[in-house]
Amino acid sequence: MNRGLKQLLPTSRRLLNSRSNAIVSCAVRSARVSRFEQQRLFTQSVIRPISFKGIFGGKPANEEKKLILEQDNLFHVLSKSPLPEMRDRAAIINKYGVCPVCDTHHTEQEHKKKPVYDCPDCGYPTHCNEEHYHQGKEAHKETCAILREINEDDHDLRSGRPMREFEFPTAQGFDEAVNMANWDVLFYTRSFPSMDSDRSMRHVSKLLTYPLTIASVLHQASPYKYGEQVTAEGMRSIAALRTILYPHNQVTNDASSQIRTDTINVYLVGARAEATLPSHIWLQLAYLFPATPFHVHFIGPDALAPNQEPHTKSVNERLSFTYDNAMYHDYHEKIAKFDPFTDLFFMFSPGIGHEGARNSWKPSIEKALETKCPIFITGYDEADMKNDIEAVEQDYQGEFDWVMKPSVNEFRSLKRDVNMLDLRQSIFANYGIWAIRGKRYDVTHDPESNE
Ligand SMILES: [Zn+2]
Ligand SMILES: [Zn+2]
């Protein structure tokens, strides 16, 4: 199942050549890049990568991959790396980054010099010159350790070694007990082969965070419990979905393999990179619920490459995908009916609270709230979650109930993504999770009747 793993982050060459680069360069060139704008760029270019394509694209099967780097040779100064993508990354940082010592001591842009001095310990271009490197060395210590790990991880990912950790288990038996407390026990109880190092877990969790975050809220062995993270209203929503996912009453031992429940629809609103994950990554969601077919809807302007038409495809009888680049509120009108027993929403790091995005999210969130189906939302750190939550509390006051209180996501990416515009910032994709649902009014209650 190793499909020629080439690159994990759509950084380097893609960022240099693609539309992301256009975004980065035009905004960064203008001297007045606001803090918000930087954050947006960071989000778009790094945290919410447009695409994971290229990870599994690889070369044709007949072209044998050569081992480029041995396991004891994974650390390289980026600008001198044997891998062109890593040298490109250094070039991007040289061009768009900032020296943290200059940044701390000056407010005017013209005094903030570019990082062109390579730190010998992490291999990243961190400071403008050797003097500032020594001056900022103590403050750089923590970042340095993080960058060193990313350096070795990314060289490992492109080293040409067989990536056995990406050989995933297939369908799960009806009686197989899965523990979903966290990545460790999931990998163990689902018998993932070769998940024997922290590095392997970082590589794999970066991709599996999307399907497994969804699975973790639906699964009966969910790490999120009623009365802790899940509210009473939330438990009603989740219990409704579980009546479909776990049709215990109909199951008899012999017929169990024949059971097919209703299809669960997962609407991924504002889908980006998750829409480019290969189907075998998404199959891990379906495998955890042996009785239930899943239909994943990737909706939003970045859900498709610009030259692609909206379409639906079936991976097998258990999993199908719809890709549509419409705004969610337009797509919503195409769906005949929403049902809280079979439908749920997920928004991965939507940035609802970001100044520039807040208003454009409104029609879509209003439509999603109308359905009364649960809406799960992730954020890449505490501040990102807080920002989105504040916006939701202000803009939809009285229109929603809490389903799940903001919590650390057990199935977050374990691999850090670093902001190439400012190496001091790094995040974990899907770090936290929370959920809401459109408020249900008691339909039997008629205020008119009291008068
Ligand atoms: Zn400097
Ligand atoms: Zn360093």
Side-chain angles (χ1 to χ4, degrees), residues 118-124 126-127 133 140-141 143-145 147-148:
D118 294 325
C119 167
D121 296 323
C122 61
Y124 273 72
T126 53
H127 295 78
Y133 166 71
H140 170 65
K141 226 172 172 179
T143 304
C144 191
L147 294 174
R148 170 85 187 206

Side-chain angles (χ1 to χ4, degrees), residues 218 236-244 264-265 337-345 370-374 437-438 440:
L218 294 174
R236 284 168 66 184
S237 284
I238 292 168
L241 291 159
R242 285 187 191 151
T243 58
I244 303 296
I264 295 282
N265 288 290
K337 182 174 166 285
F338 288 88
D339 181 349
F341 281 81
T342 56
D343 301 341
L344 69 153
F345 292 84
E370 259 175 38
T371 66
K372 316 296 183 206
C373 300
R437 190 199 63 207
R440 279 188 195 153

Side-chain angles (χ1 to χ4, degrees), residues 78-214:
L78 294 195
S79 61
K80 299 180 181 68
S81 168
L83 304 172
E85 296 153 89
M86 303 302 281
R87 296 196 300 272
D88 287 348
R89 184 179 300 179
I92 292 170
I93 297 166
N94 291 157
K95 196 169 172 186
Y96 301 119
V98 66
C99 165
V101 174
C102 292
D103 191 41
T104 312
H105 292 103
H106 300 285
T107 46
E108 308 83 20
Q109 282 296 334
E110 64 262 35
H111 295 301
K112 297 186 183 189
K113 295 199 206 98
K114 298 293 167 199
V116 291
Y117 180 83
D118 294 325
C119 167
D121 296 323
C122 61
Y124 273 72
T126 53
H127 295 78
C128 65
N129 57 33
E130 191 170 358
E131 193 193 326
H132 273 189
Y133 166 71
H134 286 294
Q135 213 176 313
K137 199 173 174 184
E138 194 55 36
H140 170 65
K141 226 172 172 179
E142 201 185 330
T143 304
C144 191
I146 290 167
L147 294 174
R148 170 85 187 206
E149 185 178 275
I150 296 174
N151 182 321
E152 293 181 351
D153 280 359
D154 288 348
H155 280 98
D156 175 55
L157 204 55
R158 298 161 178 82
S159 67
R161 73 167 169 89
M163 304 297 284
R164 304 237 180 273
E165 58 269 63
F166 282 90
E167 292 165 12
F168 295 157
T170 54
Q172 177 203 333
F174 274 82
D175 51 359
E176 193 182 318
V178 173
N179 186 326
M180 298 222 39
N182 54 46
W183 284 117
D184 269 315
V185 292
L186 172 81
F187 288 145
Y188 181 73
T189 55
R190 274 283 282 140
S191 308
F192 274 70
S194 310
M195 203 60 70
D196 47 13
S197 71
D198 288 349
R199 174 163 292 150
S200 293
M201 287 187 48
R202 289 195 294 272
H203 288 333
V204 168
S205 65
K206 185 177 168 70
L207 305 182
L208 279 183
T209 180
Y210 298 95
L212 266 299
T213 297
I214 297 171

